[in-house]
Amino acid sequence: MLTLMMLASCQSTKIQKNVTFDNSHWVKASDHPPSYVVRGYDPTAGTTYSEGEWIETGDEPGSRFFIPYKVTGPVSKPDLVREAMGARTEKKRQEIASHNRQHTAKNMGLFVLGTPVWSTYVAALAMAHY
């Protein structure tokens, strides 16, 4: 099962490479770092995590794309997300894939070990609040 989950996370990275990036879907909102918003979205309406999500490319200048939760316009949110993720550098893709594999392995360890581990984990979390 762990192998299947890891293969699925790697496959999504490969799919993102094949997406064609269309500059006409984006407008530059800031130079430092280079920040882009979806065409038609007013960045003064807010670019915090309560209004949408940032996707970082991992390039040297720190470019990033903001996609609001409610996208209006001819391009769907899933297409914009794929496009922004496709703009990521290979190094950034590898970092994310590595993080996902580590996270999956950790969660699978908790799942495989079962209830005693979960109860210990929950108890540890509860004690951390005191």
Side-chain angles (χ1 to χ4, degrees):
M1 181 170 257
L2 177 61
T3 304
L4 290 174
M5 293 176 83
M6 288 190 334
L7 287 173
S9 69
C10 293
Q11 183 181 9
S12 64
T13 302
K14 291 178 185 175
I15 291 170
Q16 294 166 4
K17 291 182 200 176
N18 299 329
V19 175
T20 303
F21 187 83
D22 188 342
N23 285 331
S24 69
H25 297 161
W26 306 93
V27 176
K28 195 170 197 176
S30 173
D31 287 323
H32 303 287
S35 302
Y36 302 86
V37 296
V38 175
R39 182 170 300 284
Y41 182 77
D42 180 8
T44 61
T47 55
T48 66
Y49 287 104
S50 61
E51 286 91 22
E53 61 185 311
W54 285 101
I55 296 177
E56 298 176 353
T57 65
D59 64 0
E60 190 173 321
S63 301
R64 59 195 188 149
F65 295 87
F66 181 77
I67 302 171
Y69 291 127
K70 295 181 181 180
V71 173
T72 58
V75 184
S76 70
K77 182 177 177 182
D79 288 342
L80 292 167
V81 170
R82 279 191 290 276
E83 200 169 291
M85 291 174 116
R88 287 180 169 156
T89 64
E90 186 60 31
K91 181 180 177 185
K92 183 72 170 178
R93 287 185 185 110
Q94 290 173 359
E95 287 172 5
I96 292 168
S98 174
H99 173 78
N100 288 346
R101 283 190 299 272
Q102 291 171 2
H103 184 72
T104 299
K106 178 182 172 187
N107 286 341
M108 286 303 296
L110 291 173
F111 177 75
V112 170
L113 294 174
T115 306
V117 172
W118 280 110
S119 60
T120 304
Y121 181 71
V122 171
L125 284 177
M127 294 302 290
H129 292 289
Y130 292 105

